Every structure is written in structure tokens, then in C-alpha cells.
């Protein structure tokens, strides 16, 4: 094993200018992350310098066998924390050979919204709180839990320390450092209310970059759990009963919200979100109805609500924002398995572009 580790740790820069680029894309389920690597002649600093590539879409549920070629368009690059050196991770989206986004490409539509002048002028910031659950590989039961049994009730685990409260911290810290190395704007981590469940935050990131960074961070987490022999779950309610679910709370502000008088802008934006509650719920992740029950720090999926410092509301405004009269708000409805391209662009569309008066007589 030591020789294998030595080979994995080879410093390519000592013998070649070539680098390895790991091309990453979202598979046919909308949640599975695929990747493959290629050699490039030298270091790269921009996605525009990278060649397009292709893959067999019939093997990922993204194209029929008789016309299976799907084209990868490089969109964002990050330093590779696994190979290190000048090697890179490349977040891509998927197109037909004719240049049309395939149905599972949610980034293209999001980029279109974020490129609109009204949106770019507002400089939308996103801070995304990704909750996830670590599962034992062979039994698909939360890490640290007795097989076919349960730990003690919730209470001591949130931000807890100790061998009987925090399970998987080595994975969490490895992921934290790997994201910082990669250039992802990861801003923090914490243990969650349900044991075996953790959270990290990405942002504040502007516009489409929030989605690129969250997908890159998910890829890195998948790779680390692969190494650790642990299964990553983004199920919004992995364990039924009196256990918290897993969300992907999305914190949001625009330039107008961050300036003096922004609290009134925030309240108008929240009012718009309430008018389009059903459209947002439909786009906020699969299985979210099992999580948004009105219990365990959630609002009911059927009713929109908001409040200051209220973690049982659909949208929460912080005390600091209320006091300052400007700032941001938190949309608590998105599930842990949400697509950040869909959620961030939908929030921007509803709060900036949507006109409730349009179409009224």
C-alpha cells in the first residue's frame, strides 16, 4: 500500500508541464455526480481555455443509445484537492452536439436569468446551508447509530462534541479544508440536530457562482466519503419519526436590500415569494413533503409564512437585519437535495423580475 500511496502522491510538476483536468457534470437523475479526467498540455486559469469534451449519455440516462453523444461545456474551474499541484476540477454543463442544453442541464436557464441587466444590477448574493447525512456503507443507517437501533433522543448532538455525540468529524473537517484548498467560498461547518447529520455553508457567492460552488463542494464531499467508505445521503428526511430532516436553507440579498432602507425591499420580496409559494415548492427538491411538516424547525409545505428569528417559518429574517433596517433573509424551504441552479435563479426571478401586477385587468 505504501508504494500505491507514493504513486498517488507523485509531483507531476517535477517531470512534465501537463496537468490533469477532472471534468464534472450532473447525471440523469439530477442528483448523481459524474466525472472523468483528461490530460492537458499545461496549467489553465480560465474555463474559456478548456476544450469541450463528450460522454456517452445513454449510460447516464441523458441520451438514447442511437444518438448518445452529449457535449460537456466547461463553466467553472477549481483547484483539485486530491491530485493537487496545477491539476483542476472542472464543473461542466451538458449540451447536444447542436449546442442545445439537454433537459437535465439546469445551469443554462439559470445563467440566462442571472445575465439579465435587472438582475446583474442587483448583485444577488447567496449563502447556501447544505445539510447532509452520513450513512454506514453496508446497512445504509446513519453513522454512529447502532444497527437496527437508535441513539438517544435529539438534544445533545447539535454543535456537539465528544465520541458519543459527533460522528464523522474527520470526514467533515477533511471536506472543509479540501473546499478551502479548491477555492470554494465555504464559510463554516457544524454538527446538526440529528446525530450523523452535518452542515456546511457556501457563500456569500454572487449569482451563478453559488450553484457552481455548491455542486463542486458536493463532488468533493462524495469523493471524500468514497475514500472513507461512508455513504453520503441528501435525502430530506432520511429517518422517519422524531428526527430532524435535512434542508438546504438559502440566504439571499440584493444590493437594494443591503443598502439603507433595504428592510422594506426585503418585505416586498418576501411578499412576492408568498405569491409564488407553489411554484417554489415544486422546484425545491424531491421528497420535501416528508420534511416540511410544521415540526422539527420547518413550516408546513402547504402554507407560506415568514417571521423574524422564527425557524418554524417558510422564510426567516434575522434580528440583526431587523435592527439594522437592511441585510438579508433566509428561505428555509429548499430540501437538502435541491438543485442550487434552480433554486438560486428562481429566487432571483421571483424577487427581481416577477411583476405581480402583470396580467391584471
Amino acid at each position: 500500500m505504501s508504494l500505491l500511496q507514493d504513486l498517488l502522491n507523485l509531483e507531476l510538476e517535477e517531470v512534465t508541464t501537463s496537468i490533469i483536468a477532472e471534468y464534472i457534470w450532473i447525471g440523469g437523475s439530477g442528483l448523481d455526480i459524474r466525472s472523468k479526467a483528461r490530460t492537458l498540455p499545461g496549467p489553465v486559469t480560465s474555463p474559456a481555455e478548456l476544450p469541450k469534451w463528450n460522454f456517452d449519455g445513454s449510460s447516464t440516462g441523458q441520451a438514447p443509445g442511437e444518438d448518445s453523444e452529449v457535449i460537456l461545456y466547461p463553466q467553472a474551474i477549481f483547484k483539485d484537492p486530491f491530485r493537487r499541484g496545477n491539476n483542476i476540477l472542472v464543473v461542466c454543463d451538458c449540451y447536444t452536439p447542436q449546442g442545445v442544453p439537454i433537459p437535465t442541464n439546469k445551469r443554462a436557464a439559470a445563467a440566462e436569468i442571472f445575465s439579465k441587466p435587472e438582475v446583474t444590477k442587483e448583485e444577488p448574493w447567496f449563502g447556501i446551508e447544505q445539510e447532509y447525512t452520513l450513512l454506514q456503507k453496508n446497512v445504509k443507517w446513519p453513522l454512529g447509530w447502532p444497527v437496527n437501533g437508535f441513539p438517544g433522543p435529539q438534544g445533545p448532538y447539535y454543535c456537539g462534541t465528544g465520541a458519543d455525540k459527533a460522528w464523522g468529524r474527520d470526514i467533515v473537517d477533511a471536506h472543509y479544508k479540501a473546499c478551502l484548498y479548491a477555492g470554494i467560498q465555504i464559510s463554516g461547518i457544524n454538527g446538526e440536530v440529528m446525530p450523523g447529520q452535518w452542515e456546511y455553508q457556501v457563500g456569500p457567492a454572487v449569482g451563478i457562482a453559488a450553484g457552481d460552488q455548491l455542486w463542486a463542494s458536493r463532488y468533493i464531499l462524495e469523493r471524500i466519503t468514497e475514500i472513507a467508505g461512508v455513504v453520503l445521503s441528501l435525502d430530506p428526511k432520511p429517518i422517519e419519526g422524531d428526527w430532524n430532516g435535512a434542508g438546504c436553507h438559502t440566504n439571499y440579498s440584493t444590493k437594494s436590500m443591503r443598502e439603507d432602507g433595504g428592510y422594506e425591499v426585503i418585505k416586498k420580496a418576501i411578499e412576492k415569494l408568498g405569491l409564488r409559494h407553489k411554484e417554489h415548492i415544486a422546484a425545491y427538491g424531491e421528497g420535501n413533503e416528508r420534511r416540511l411538516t410544521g415540526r422539527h424547525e420547518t413550516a408546513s409545505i402547504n402554507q407560506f409564512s415568514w417571521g423574524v428569528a422564527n425557524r418554524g417559518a417558510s422564510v426567516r429574517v434575522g434580528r440583526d437585519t431587523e435592527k439594522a433596517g437592511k441585510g438579508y433573509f433566509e428561505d428555509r424551504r429548499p430540501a437538502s437535495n435541491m438543485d442550487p441552479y434552480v433554486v438560486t435563479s428562481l429566487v432571483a426571478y421571483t424577487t427581481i423580475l416577477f411583476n405581480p401586477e402583470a396580467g391584471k385587468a
Side-chain angles (χ1 to χ4, degrees):
M1 288 297 289
S2 60
L3 176 58
L4 179 61
Q5 198 62 44
D6 288 344
L7 291 170
L8 286 170
N9 292 333
L10 280 174
E11 298 288 346
L12 297 181
E13 292 83 358
E14 295 177 0
V15 294
T16 180
T17 59
S18 296
I19 69 162
I20 301 171
E22 190 78 27
Y23 279 47
I24 302 162
W25 72 96
I26 301 157
S29 72
L31 272 179
D32 56 314
I33 304 175
R34 311 285 180 132
S35 75
K36 62 177 183 172
R38 67 183 299 168
T39 305
L40 297 174
V44 173
T45 58
S46 167
E49 301 173 44
L50 292 166
K52 295 173 185 174
W53 206 6
N54 64 73
F55 68 92
D56 170 17
S58 68
S59 295
T60 63
Q62 292 172 286
E66 64 274 12
D67 187 15
S68 64
E69 192 166 287
V70 178
I71 312 301
L72 293 169
Y73 284 35
Q75 300 291 359
I77 59 174
F78 301 91
K79 292 178 67 177
D80 187 338
F82 304 102
R83 297 187 177 104
R84 305 184 191 181
N86 292 321
N87 304 301
I88 56 174
L89 305 177
V90 184
V91 172
C92 305
D93 58 355
C94 302
Y95 294 79
T96 67
Q98 293 75 36
V100 178
I102 67 172
T104 55
N105 178 355
K106 306 304 182 185
R107 189 188 190 280
E112 187 175 337
I113 288 173
F114 284 122
S115 67
K116 291 187 179 297
E118 307 96 308
V119 178
T120 56
K121 182 181 72 172
E122 283 291 346
E123 299 174 14
W125 290 3
F126 297 92
I128 303 176
E129 305 172 28
Q130 176 69 71
E131 294 178 346
Y132 61 94
T133 309
L134 299 173
L135 304 179
Q136 301 169 55
K137 182 179 178 182
N138 295 324
V139 293
K140 302 295 176 67
W141 198 239
L143 195 66
W145 289 34
V147 177
N148 297 322
F150 297 88
Q154 295 183 154
Y157 309 109
Y158 172 69
C159 297
T161 56
D164 58 342
K165 303 178 192 71
W167 302 316
R169 191 185 296 276
D170 53 346
I171 293 170
V172 175
D173 276 345
H175 177 249
Y176 196 175
K177 289 185 175 181
C179 284
L180 285 171
Y181 178 93
I184 292 167
Q185 292 170 277
I186 186 169
S187 49
I189 58 167
N190 60 267
E192 266 305 327
V193 177
M194 190 185 87
Q197 193 177 87
W198 295 82
E199 175 189 299
Y200 65 91
Q201 303 91 32
V202 169
V206 181
I208 198 72
D212 290 338
Q213 292 190 36
L214 194 74
W215 276 113
S217 72
R218 285 176 173 177
Y219 170 80
I220 292 171
L221 185 55
E222 285 274 21
R223 287 283 306 276
I224 291 172
T225 54
E226 173 190 321
I227 294 166
V230 171
V231 175
L232 170 65
S233 172
L234 297 183
D235 190 305
K237 185 71 174 178
I239 304 295
E240 295 299 324
D242 196 16
W243 304 98
N244 276 36
C248 209
H249 304 156
T250 301
N251 299 276
Y252 171 71
S253 71
T254 63
K255 187 177 181 182
S256 299
M257 295 176 191
R258 297 187 293 270
E259 294 176 342
D260 290 343
Y263 195 39
E264 290 305 312
V265 181
I266 287 171
K267 288 193 285 187
K268 288 176 183 176
I270 293 173
E271 183 180 347
K272 286 184 177 183
L273 288 173
L275 293 174
R276 304 190 76 231
H277 178 62
K278 288 183 179 179
E279 290 87 343
H280 281 252
I281 288 296
Y284 274 13
E286 295 295 322
N288 214 9
E289 71 282 352
R290 293 182 285 117
R291 169 180 161 261
L292 296 181
T293 61
R295 299 182 64 217
H296 304 112
E297 301 181 53
T298 71
S300 168
I301 196 170
N302 298 312
Q303 186 174 356
F304 181 84
S305 61
W306 76 277
V308 176
N310 184 356
R311 282 179 163 77
S314 307
V315 171
R316 179 184 69 88
V317 175
R319 290 283 182 203
D320 52 349
T321 293
E322 180 188 43
K323 183 178 180 181
K326 59 185 176 181
Y328 71 98
F329 65 82
E330 174 193 42
D331 190 339
R332 297 178 58 82
R333 296 171 295 172
S336 49
N337 59 10
M338 63 83 148
D339 187 325
Y341 294 136
V342 173
V343 170
T344 58
S345 61
L346 187 58
V347 170
Y349 172 83
T350 296
T351 59
I352 299 172
L353 299 174
F354 171 62
N355 179 7
E357 301 302 318
K360 288 187 177 181

